[in-house]
Amino acid sequence: VEKNLAGEVYLSSEDLGVAKVKASCEADTEKLGLWHCRWKNLAVKADETVAVKIAVVDMAGNEVGTDVTRSFTKDSSVPVVEFFGTSRVFDGKSYLGGVLKDQRILLQAKDQGVGITKAGIAANLKGLEKSNTESPENCTAVENSLSCFWIIDKISGTSGSVVVGLSKFKDGVGNEGKVPEVNIVVDFDAPKVEKIEVFGASEIGDKEYIQSNDKLKLKLRIAEDSGVVV
């Protein structure tokens, strides 16, 4: 509405089965004289063309109207989780270290319809001393994919397994995808060196003694369920 809104705005539509529904209007924060009007709780069938009449009535009762026709595309596709776990994965399992800071839980999702935003996602992280409605720290969209992460800055307790999941996962029109749960291994225990062997390495192979120009070779046997970074 490109003028000072000293009146009211109404919508009427036979297609929607409504007559003269009043809008809620707010002034634009940047452009003077521009207003944004919205109607809520209207039942629109997304696979149809809808004709409506917009009418502006001033304080004196003068009315001016315009007819508007719009076609809608139905979005019935649900978002899909491609990965949900931590940034540290070993042997197909997600891990969190008990003493590391700024660890992350990652979500990679895809939607073929209107798309997903940060507002449609929340995680249940009660097992990690957070709430069951944690919003992502940040999300990045690339075409029809979305990548989000949550920061886990501290963990208390002992080594074990905790369950985390998504408590909200829906696209921009409300289609809800399946919300997975993941077992995350929390590891407070350091790796244990069970055996150390020292060899002298040369062109003839490994020897249990060291000669001049040999390379020193160490052979370790380490016990660690979470894997070792070399």
Side-chain angles (χ1 to χ4, degrees):
V1 182
E2 280 283 0
K3 63 179 182 178
N4 187 24
L5 191 64
E8 297 174 337
V9 180
Y10 296 92
L11 177 146
S12 301
S13 173
E14 292 184 2
D15 293 337
L16 300 180
V18 296
K20 211 169 185 178
V21 179
K22 184 179 177 181
S24 174
C25 299
E26 297 179 352
D28 190 88
T29 56
E30 297 180 356
K31 189 172 182 180
L32 183 65
L34 177 63
W35 293 74
H36 302 277
C37 298
R38 294 177 174 83
W39 291 266
K40 296 181 178 180
N41 301 322
L42 297 178
V44 179
K45 293 183 179 180
D47 52 355
E48 294 185 355
T49 298
V50 177
V52 300
K53 181 178 181 179
I54 309 295
V56 180
V57 182
D58 66 15
M59 300 299 291
N62 300 309
E63 180 176 323
V64 60
T66 185
D67 295 320
V68 179
T69 301
R70 291 288 184 270
S71 295
F72 297 89
T73 301
K74 186 175 183 179
D75 178 7
S76 58
S77 64
V78 298
V80 177
V81 172
E82 295 187 319
F83 176 79
F84 183 59
T86 68
S87 54
R88 292 180 173 85
V89 178
F90 175 71
D91 200 20
K93 298 179 181 179
S94 287
Y95 285 83
L96 288 173
V99 296
L100 297 176
K101 295 183 178 180
D102 193 24
Q103 300 180 91
R104 297 189 176 192
I105 293 177
L106 308 177
L107 169 68
Q108 295 176 356
K110 182 174 289 187
D111 183 68
Q112 299 296 334
V114 68
I116 330 166
T117 65
K118 180 180 176 182
I121 296 172
N124 180 357
L125 304 180
K126 290 187 71 174
L128 297 171
E129 304 175 34
K130 292 181 177 289
S131 75
N132 61 354
T133 55
E134 288 287 326
S135 296
E137 188 77 19
N138 190 39
C139 293
T140 303
V142 178
E143 295 181 350
N144 60 346
S145 297
L146 188 74
S147 298
C148 303
F149 67 86
W150 292 259
I151 293 178
I152 308 299
D153 47 14
K154 67 174 183 177
I155 307 173
S156 60
T158 58
S159 296
S161 179
V162 297
V163 178
V164 301
L166 293 177
S167 54
K168 182 169 69 171
F169 183 52
K170 59 185 179 180
D171 64 15
V173 294
N175 295 318
E176 295 186 358
K178 293 182 179 180
V179 287
E181 288 188 339
V182 177
N183 283 302
I184 294 180
V185 178
V186 180
D187 186 2
F188 283 85
D189 300 324
K192 297 177 181 178
V193 178
E194 296 182 336
K195 186 177 181 180
I196 301 178
E197 294 180 273
V198 182
F199 299 95
S202 66
E203 293 180 354
I204 64 173
D206 297 343
K207 308 183 298 290
E208 294 183 354
Y209 55 89
I210 298 175
Q211 293 177 300
S212 179
N213 297 322
D214 280 356
K215 293 181 180 179
L216 185 64
K217 182 176 181 179
L218 299 179
K219 191 178 286 188
L220 305 178
R221 187 169 69 194
I222 300 174
E224 174 53 62
D225 293 336
S226 303
V228 178
V229 178
V230 179

